[in-house]
Amino acid sequence: MIPLQLTLEGLYSYQERQKIDFENLTEAGLFGIFGSVGSGKSSILEAISFALYGETERLNARDKRTYNMMNLKSNKSYIEFDFLNYENKKFRATREFRRNSKNFEDVKTPTVTFYEWKNENWIPLEHSNAEKLVGLSYANFKRTIIIPQGQFKEFLELGATERTNMMKEIFSLQRFDLQNNVSVLNAKNRSELDQLEGQLKGFEEVNEEQISAQKEELKTEQQKLEEVQKVFKETEEKYVKLKTLKNDFEILHQKKSDFEQLTQQKSEIDILETKTELYDSVFRIFTPLVSEKNKLAKEISEQQKSKEQQFKILQETEIQFENTKNKLSAIQPKYEALHQSKIQENDLSLILQMLKFSDEIETLKERTKKGSEKVKEVEANQKLIQNKIEELSKNAELLKPKKLDSNLLLNVGSWFSEKKKLTETLQIQSGKIDSKKLETGKIHDELKPFEINPETFKNDFKTQIEALENQKKALSEKRNHLEVQQKLAHFANELHDGESCPLCGALEHPNIVHFDDVNSELNEIQKQIEQLEIQKEHIQKQLLEIEKILDRKKIFEEQLKSEEESLKQIQNNIDEHLKNFNWTAFSPENQNDFEEKRQQSFSIEKQIDELNQQISSEQKNLDKERENLDSYNKALEKFRLDEAKKEEQIKTNEANLKVLQWINYKEKAIVEVEEIYSKLSKSNLETEQNYNQLIKEEKEISPKLAEQKTIVHQLEKRISELEKEISENTNQIEKALSEQQFSTLEEVYQILAQEIHVQEIRNQIQQFRIQFETLKNSILELENKLKDFSFNDEEFSAIENQFKTFENDLKTANDSVVKIATEIERLEKEFKKKENLLKDLALLQKRAENLKIMTNLFKGAGFVQYVSSIYLRQLCDHANVRFHRMTRNQLSLQLNENNDFEIIDYLNEGRSRSVKTLSGGQAFQVSLSLALALAESVQTNAQSEKNFFFIDEGFGTQDVESVNIVFETLMNLQKENRIVGIISHVEELKEKIPVSLNITKDEERGSLIEIV
């Protein structure tokens, strides 16, 4: 991953929006981020981690993370991070969260969006999973890309399992974790093997001998079948002839019986045929005439009813038309006088307007009078306010010379504040030194119980351990000798004549050696060895504990020295600050005098501000009065214009009067004139509406009346036509009755009431006649066929029994042949299957052996651990290239049998020791070497052109020479396409690094970033 740019706002100490352009920094290969303690250097790394993963090192979700991360002066936090991933693709991660305006401590859940740069645009992604883009989990991101402050040694001190999991993720070692795959294959093979073995159990009796025996038996049964078939064929011919003759006699008998039944039914069929033909003839002739008669009767009844209804409507319409004509004649005179009445109505309307204008003119005159008085009052107020403003301005001018310069007060106040801070810092630093001295004293007390010489204690402990080892070695040799003796005693006791010796193979044993029982002596030696192990472990624990105490003592002593130097620097800063006091009006030792004068100046400034506020207030009042005066003058002018317009309108209306005179209504009340106008207007409207309504009704009723007369006339005409049609229908019916020789129509109704289905009955009659003739002809044919034959039941029964017997014998013989042939076919197929199954069994058994070997190889992720150990050893080799140079070939890193890191100390005969025994500086050196080696391996694995990682602090533990070596190592990384960012407060590094960011913290604006 390569960072491109980072934007921060409202995060930790970053109040204002700040932007870091990493492209300019990464071009240098090595860059730094410097600033004092607490300035916000590490917050940059926290911002990157949080933007990508939503996680931070300092805070977790339970710590009210969003509230504590947000700047206390901000209501919004925003992070925007652009980067290149291992595929050289450009991505952006943004996170934003806001404070609840109603609850200061309630900060809403961050909104997160990831983007990808495509086609010159940022395209939002559907997920926010940084692990997919970066290729690392958050835990491994901290170990290989951004290494937080105080956790540089984490990878070095990880347990074997955690380190293996980390290597699996970084180098995709899960591809070597084949345990599940092998387990699945093994289970599948075992299942197939069990299934195959189960199948083979069903083939135990299938063999070549059984198949041969079945074939011999088949030949015998086939000979029997041929003999039976010959006898059966002869008998079958006789039986078929007799059976055919029997069937013919039976059929002839049955047909004669059926013919007798049909002969009996023939007379009934003849009657039915006559009845059906009569019904068909009557139906065709009379049904149309009767239907027409009924239809005409129904229609003439309906027309009579309709005529009565329409005639009634005609009478009502004639009455309504006459009433309308009478009303119209009555209203006609009033309607003719309507024109003159409307002129009078219009004159009254104009007079009403004139009366209203006259009242409004009187009102305007009154308002004009009152407005003139208000204008004079406002002009007087303006003069009073103007005089008050002039007096307040004079008082403010008198106070200004007494106020001190604000810049002077600000500078002196800042000087005293800085002095206070330096004094407090001095006290805090003195407290830190006292604390470190107290810690150093406690560590000295912890060493007293051990009573050791700090210079020689390691050699003393080493001598003790070597002595214990020698004792243990001697006891182990003695134990081995006794165990051999015990084993020989066991063999000797097991020797018997005639049985071979397990060592030499001889069958005779003339001189058997006898040994004493050594079990008790072996147990005693084992106890002594275990006791020596306990002593050795106790000494090693003591040694480790003492080394830890001494390391802590060294750290505290170094910290105490650093704190004392800081105290000296603070004291120098105080002295330098005192020299900068150059204001003669104040004393550097008398801050109270300065505060009194500043308060007096503030009081005067407050009085001036109050006077200015009063002046401003009065000025607003003056402006308001001026606005009021303008408003009143404009209103007076409007009143005068409105009065003139209304007088002109009265004259215009008077000129437009046609009937009435203005002088007759000038003194009347508006209410009285309105009442006259309302009555006249209402009367005119009613007259016009009534007349128009009657005209409309007359126009509507007149066509209706004519239409209704036409309807009644048409109905009368239709009734006359129907009566004529009924008469003709009656004549036709009487003629048909006469022709068909019926006396009345009732006889026809009786015949039609039978409802005979003519076509269906005709079909039945035809089928009967066909069946009758067919059966008659068939009987004649059979009689001619059988006239020369006779049939004997006893002879037929004997032949039939003989036929069934031979038929059963044939079936039995045939079944036996088929059964044996089928069994032979089955056995041959089963034998073929058995051969194939045995071949498959051999293959599966061979595969099972191979899978067993693979299961043992990949069991418990052992192969992954093995591959991981190879990667770790390669890391060690790569890390040692730089670690040797940093430690001047005094130390080396290696992996022990448990895949844990150990240190080889060449100053102590190349013996190994735990990495936990390293000093702080040495731990930083080996951790840095490992981090560089890990980054190099990650780059090679990802096939990326460049790689990058951050180092947060760590240089404070190095001496000057070590810093130079480490720095030289980092500079050489540029040749290897490595980019390293260093976060530190060590000033010596700042001078060496070509480009860097400087973080400063302003009290008002928060942390600020500048490129140096």
Side-chain angles (χ1 to χ4, degrees), residues 864-977:
V864 175
Q865 292 175 359
Y866 169 71
V867 175
S868 174
S869 67
I870 293 173
Y871 275 84
L872 280 172
R873 293 184 192 285
Q874 290 175 348
L875 278 178
C876 272
D877 295 340
H878 293 155
N880 279 327
V881 173
R882 295 183 177 93
F883 188 44
H884 290 163
R885 188 161 61 245
M886 291 183 190
T887 60
R888 305 170 191 85
N889 293 320
Q890 294 176 4
L891 300 175
S892 182
L893 187 68
Q894 74 169 14
L895 282 173
N896 63 14
E897 296 174 354
N898 298 322
N899 275 347
D900 289 327
F901 287 119
E902 288 184 344
I903 295 296
I904 298 176
D905 191 343
Y906 294 110
L907 295 180
N908 290 286
E909 300 177 2
R911 294 183 180 275
S912 62
R913 56 188 171 95
S914 171
V915 293
K916 296 179 182 179
T917 63
L918 292 171
S919 66
Q922 291 171 334
F924 172 75
Q925 289 172 346
V926 71
S927 299
L928 176 60
S929 300
L930 263 178
L932 291 170
L934 188 59
E936 181 177 293
S937 298
V938 169
Q939 176 185 350
T940 304
N941 190 55
Q943 296 181 348
S944 57
E945 295 179 0
K946 292 185 177 182
N947 211 331
F948 169 86
F949 70 93
F950 262 116
I951 301 173
D952 190 0
E953 295 297 348
F955 291 94
T957 59
Q958 305 292 296
D959 55 30
V960 176
E961 187 177 355
S962 296
V963 169
N964 290 334
I965 293 172
V966 171
F967 184 76
E968 180 185 347
T969 300
L970 296 177
M971 288 298 291
N972 288 332
L973 291 176
Q974 296 180 39
K975 302 172 185 177
E976 305 170 17
N977 275 339

Side-chain angles (χ1 to χ4, degrees), residues 786-811:
L786 299 174
K787 64 182 179 180
D788 297 327
F789 293 96
S790 62
F791 176 76
N792 188 328
D793 282 334
E794 292 179 359
E795 181 185 359
F796 176 77
S797 297
I799 293 295
E800 186 178 30
N801 291 334
Q802 192 178 10
F803 172 77
K804 287 180 179 178
T805 301
F806 290 141
E807 187 179 36
N808 288 332
D809 293 345
L810 179 63
K811 185 176 182 300

Side-chain angles (χ1 to χ4, degrees), residues 393-406:
S393 299
K394 287 179 182 178
N395 293 338
E397 290 298 324
L398 290 173
L399 287 172
K400 283 181 180 179
K402 298 178 183 180
K403 185 174 76 73
L404 295 174
D405 181 48
S406 57

Side-chain angles (χ1 to χ4, degrees), residues 353-455:
Q353 284 184 359
M354 293 161 72
L355 287 172
K356 288 178 181 178
F357 288 152
S358 296
D359 287 352
E360 289 173 359
I361 287 169
E362 292 299 323
T363 303
L364 286 169
K365 286 179 178 178
E366 183 66 28
R367 293 179 72 182
T368 302
K369 182 181 177 182
K370 290 181 180 179
S372 299
E373 293 173 357
K374 190 67 177 177
V375 166
K376 291 178 182 178
E377 183 182 339
V378 169
E379 288 174 346
N381 283 340
Q382 279 186 351
K383 288 183 180 180
L384 290 174
I385 293 170
Q386 188 67 43
N387 293 336
K388 191 172 183 181
I389 289 172
E390 290 174 359
E391 184 180 350
L392 291 170
S393 299
K394 287 179 182 178
N395 293 338
E397 290 298 324
L398 290 173
L399 287 172
K400 283 181 180 179
K402 298 178 183 180
K403 185 174 76 73
L404 295 174
D405 181 48
S406 57
N407 289 331
L408 174 65
L409 291 174
L410 182 63
N411 293 333
V412 177
S414 298
W415 187 91
F416 276 114
S417 296
E418 184 65 24
K419 180 186 176 185
K420 184 179 178 182
K421 285 181 185 177
L422 290 171
T423 304
E424 290 174 352
T425 305
L426 184 67
Q427 292 174 354
I428 292 169
Q429 192 62 30
S430 299
K432 286 182 179 179
I433 290 171
D434 294 340
S435 175
K436 296 298 178 187
K437 286 180 178 178
L438 184 64
E439 292 290 340
T440 306
K442 287 180 181 178
I443 291 171
H444 184 71
D445 293 340
E446 287 180 23
L447 285 171
K448 283 182 181 179
F450 294 105
E451 297 179 355
I452 59 160
N453 183 347
E455 301 297 328

